[in-house]
Amino acid sequence: MYQALYRKYRPQTFDDLVGQLAVTQTLKTQVSSGRLSHAYLFTGSRGTGKTSSAKILAKAVNCENPQNGNPCNCCPSCRAIDSGACMDVLEIDAASNNGVDNVRDLRDDAIYSPSQVKMRVYIIDEVHMLSISAFNALLKIIEEPPEHLLFILATTELHKVPATILSRCQRFSFRRISQEDIAARLQYVSYQENIDLTDSAARVLARLADGGMRDGLSLLDQCASATQGELNPERVYACLGIAGIQECGKLMAAISKHDTAGALSLLNRFYAEGKELGALLDEMACLTRDFMVLKAAPKEGISLLSGVASDEETKALSDAFSVGELSRMLNLIQQTVSGFTRSSSRRMDAEMCIINLCQPELTLEAEALNARLSRLEEQIKTGVVAAPAAAAPAPEKKIEKPVSVPKVEETAAPAPTKEVPTQVPVGFWTEVATQIRQELTAPAVRGYFAPNPNAAVQGVLVGDRLELRCDNAFVLGFVNKPEILLLAARKASSVLGYPVQAVAVDKNSAATDAMEHFMKLSQQHPDCIHIK
């Protein structure tokens, strides 16, 4: 029967563990010196070697011929533990045995001496799944166990383990395995299994493994069984249903050019080819994150890259975006991916995400305005967009003969245009709010225009514009309607005696200041207004 690669190549000694030198060296020293603790707690993300280390430690403490802290894997004790026939080494899944009765049974059995090996070992996997009552039942025996008893607890969510348990255990943290170590291990397994795995494909699998060796071996197993011949990155992408870095780079290039039609065409092709939209947006998020690192730290940030932006062509794309644009893109992509779990149409959500990425002018949110401003400022700074040159003065006409000009009677100068008063009448907003309430019929909206300083809507006159500043976005949704804005503008104009325009804004948002900044830049550079 075929055995999965991650089971076939499970580490058998501490030296076989990849990327956990600090943990393995300490455990080997404790086994060699005999200074073992009575309870261990292994923490870390999935696939980093916690359960494997627990089984190796169980063999090492019971091995008849230990070798520098490692089990020999040849004596009867090691073979019995490897085969699962040893009744004194028990691996318990806390997810399915999380009740207080299960822990009480374990506690009653643990007092008996081992029958086959030197020490009775209990490996409790996913220990954070135990109930509070089960943890309390486990406290006493973990604190003062018999001499023949050893507890090894493993968890991926350390914050769910009570502090009373943490204080009774020696804790070892397993870190994520680096991409270089995973790629090297995958190459070794491929050589043993006669799999023609290229170096670039190994790096792709290592990046997709996200620090977990088990995930990397599972992906290698899946790709090797689905294809024949050389396993290159293109075949890995095709087997896993991923668009790939090159295709993702094309989509990002279309977004940088604000080519909405081209970006949607690429997305439609990926969808027709069966690519997973969630994986596509994840790749875009990783690429955007790498672009931000390259923009923030061009030299020092090379070591911080996730490996997505690996080729020079992809790295060159980072110059097409500003930091503000990248920040907005990353937030929008993450929001779209997080909404996939409750969405009825992932394709529609992905299309709306792409459209908003290509056209930031569709929304007046602070992040969209900041993205447009940062792009405009960067283009002005680099000289891509320059201020319009002043028009050359027209040449003066040369008059050869004096021309007699008839005397024209002086006429009265035209009356100056009426200027907007700089002072607002006392009680202006109170009177306007009272008149607005008299014509509103909806009780909910009328309550927002109460003539007092604690009302949800406050009117502030800025030049010839009346800003209806709302407490939050919920109130803004009720007020920002054409009929209400026209009513407010009409009432304010009648009170002030000159025409004003009403707009609704969220007083807690930075969008108002960003818009004023944007308008100021647009006035200074009128040929840049069309920039998106």
Side-chain angles (χ1 to χ4, degrees):
M1 182 178 178
Y2 180 76
Q3 191 176 21
L5 292 181
Y6 77 87
R7 294 183 58 195
K8 184 176 181 180
Y9 290 92
R10 182 187 289 272
Q12 298 299 316
T13 64
F14 289 121
D15 294 337
D16 292 340
L17 279 170
V18 177
Q20 308 295 345
L21 182 61
V23 175
T24 56
Q25 188 62 42
T26 303
L27 292 177
K28 286 170 59 178
T29 303
Q30 289 188 357
V31 172
S32 300
S33 61
R35 301 182 61 180
L36 292 168
S37 175
H38 59 275
Y40 292 90
L41 177 62
F42 294 163
T43 69
S45 57
R46 68 184 188 280
T48 52
K50 300 184 296 298
T51 306
S52 298
S53 297
K55 291 182 177 180
I56 295 172
L57 180 59
K59 289 191 296 183
V61 298
N62 290 304
C63 183
E64 298 176 7
N65 302 302
Q67 301 174 359
N68 193 23
N70 285 310
C72 67
N73 293 318
C74 297
C75 64
S77 298
C78 291
R79 290 200 301 269
I81 296 173
D82 279 333
S83 62
C86 182
M87 302 300 296
D88 296 316
V89 177
L90 301 178
E91 183 176 357
I92 302 171
D93 178 22
S96 56
N97 300 278
N98 55 4
V100 64
D101 293 333
N102 302 113
V103 175
R104 285 172 180 168
D105 294 340
L106 180 152
R107 186 181 58 188
D108 294 339
D109 294 339
I111 61 176
Y112 298 106
S113 300
S115 58
Q116 296 177 270
V117 291
K118 293 182 289 185
M119 293 190 68
R120 182 184 290 269
V121 181
Y122 284 95
I123 302 173
I124 306 179
D125 199 10
E126 301 299 333
V127 70
H128 64 272
M129 299 293 290
L130 290 180
S131 63
I132 298 299
S133 301
F135 273 123
N136 292 334
L138 197 62
L139 280 178
K140 189 61 178 178
I141 193 168
I142 284 186
E143 183 178 11
E144 298 177 359
E147 293 184 358
H148 62 267
L149 190 60
L150 175 64
F151 281 100
I152 305 176
L153 315 179
T155 180
T156 56
E157 300 184 32
L158 181 63
H159 61 280
K160 293 185 179 180
V161 180
T164 50
I165 296 292
L166 296 177
S167 62
R168 289 165 170 80
C169 303
Q170 280 194 11
R171 184 169 61 188
F172 289 86
S173 298
F174 287 70
R175 66 182 184 89
R176 290 181 182 272
I177 306 174
S178 65
Q179 294 185 17
E180 292 77 10
D181 290 340
I182 295 178
R185 182 67 174 177
L186 294 179
Q187 289 284 22
Y188 169 76
V189 174
S190 300
Y191 176 77
Q192 298 293 328
E193 295 293 320
N194 295 321
I195 300 173
D196 190 4
L197 179 67
T198 64
D199 293 339
S200 55
R203 289 194 296 270
V204 171
L205 291 173
R207 176 174 60 82
L208 295 175
D210 193 25
M213 183 64 72
R214 182 173 63 241
D215 291 358
L217 290 172
S218 298
L219 292 174
L220 174 63
D221 204 355
Q222 178 180 347
C223 295
S225 60
T227 183
Q228 298 292 334
E230 185 182 65
L231 189 57
N232 52 32
E234 288 73 20
R235 292 189 175 182
V236 170
Y237 292 138
C239 178
L240 300 180
I242 300 174
I245 299 305
Q246 297 296 331
E247 299 295 332
C248 186
K250 293 179 182 178
L251 186 57
M252 295 291 286
I255 293 173
S256 68
K257 299 174 184 176
H258 300 284
D259 183 8
T260 308
L264 289 177
S265 177
L266 283 171
L267 181 65
N268 182 62
R269 178 165 66 84
F270 297 152
Y271 184 79
E273 292 175 356
K275 307 300 184 184
E276 174 60 37
L277 295 180
L280 173 64
L281 293 182
D282 282 337
E283 282 189 290
M284 290 179 61
C286 291
L287 198 56
T288 305
R289 178 259 180 195
D290 283 359
F291 286 170
M292 290 188 68
V293 172
L294 288 174
K295 297 285 286 186
K299 296 181 180 180
E300 295 80 0
I302 298 295
S303 60
L304 302 177
L305 299 182
S306 62
V308 180
S310 55
D311 58 331
E312 295 300 326
E313 182 179 355
T314 307
K315 289 180 182 178
L317 272 176
S318 63
D319 297 332
F321 298 96
S322 65
V323 177
E325 287 181 298
L326 293 173
S327 176
R328 170 183 171 268
M329 290 170 57
L330 187 58
N331 290 335
L332 183 56
I333 293 172
Q334 290 178 336
Q335 290 175 7
T336 305
V337 173
S338 63
F340 274 178
T341 55
R342 55 185 181 275
S343 174
S344 59
S345 176
R346 290 191 172 189
R347 179 182 182 180
M348 186 183 301
D349 290 348
E351 288 174 343
M352 291 299 101
C353 176
I354 295 300
I355 291 175
N356 283 311
L357 290 177
C358 293
Q359 301 181 17
E361 69 276 9
L362 292 178
T363 176
L364 292 180
E365 293 180 354
E367 287 189 349
L369 290 173
N370 179 57
R372 297 166 63 186
L373 286 171
S374 61
R375 182 180 182 88
L376 178 59
E377 290 172 343
E378 189 165 318
Q379 289 183 344
I380 294 174
K381 186 188 302 182
T382 56
V384 176
V385 177
E396 297 182 358
K397 291 184 178 181
K398 192 173 183 180
I399 302 176
E400 297 180 353
K401 296 181 180 181
V403 180
S404 61
V405 181
K407 187 176 180 180
V408 180
E409 295 183 0
E410 295 183 359
T411 59
T417 59
K418 185 177 181 180
E419 296 183 356
V420 177
T422 58
Q423 294 184 354
V424 181
V426 179
F428 152 72
W429 173 242
T430 303
E431 185 175 353
V432 173
T434 303
Q435 294 185 17
I436 293 175
R437 282 171 57 87
Q438 291 175 356
E439 293 197 19
L440 288 175
T441 57
V445 183
R446 290 182 61 192
Y448 298 147
F449 288 91
N452 61 70
N454 296 324
V457 178
Q458 295 293 328
V460 178
L461 192 64
V462 181
D464 61 346
R465 184 178 65 177
L466 174 63
E467 290 187 358
L468 302 179
R469 297 185 177 178
C470 306
D471 279 351
N472 48 58
F474 180 77
V475 177
L476 181 63
F478 281 92
V479 177
N480 193 18
K481 295 179 180 179
E483 59 272 15
I484 296 180
L485 297 179
L486 288 175
L487 175 62
R490 181 160 49 86
K491 295 300 181 183
S493 299
S494 64
V495 172
L496 294 171
Y498 60 87
V500 297
Q501 181 184 5
V503 294
V505 297
D506 186 351
K507 70 178 183 182
N508 298 321
S509 172
T512 304
D513 297 336
M515 174 60 80
E516 292 177 357
H517 188 193
F518 181 74
M519 295 301 295
K520 187 182 297 182
L521 280 177
S522 300
Q523 293 173 2
Q524 295 174 357
H525 307 280
D527 61 334
C528 307
I529 298 177
H530 66 281
I531 293 179
K532 302 176 180 178

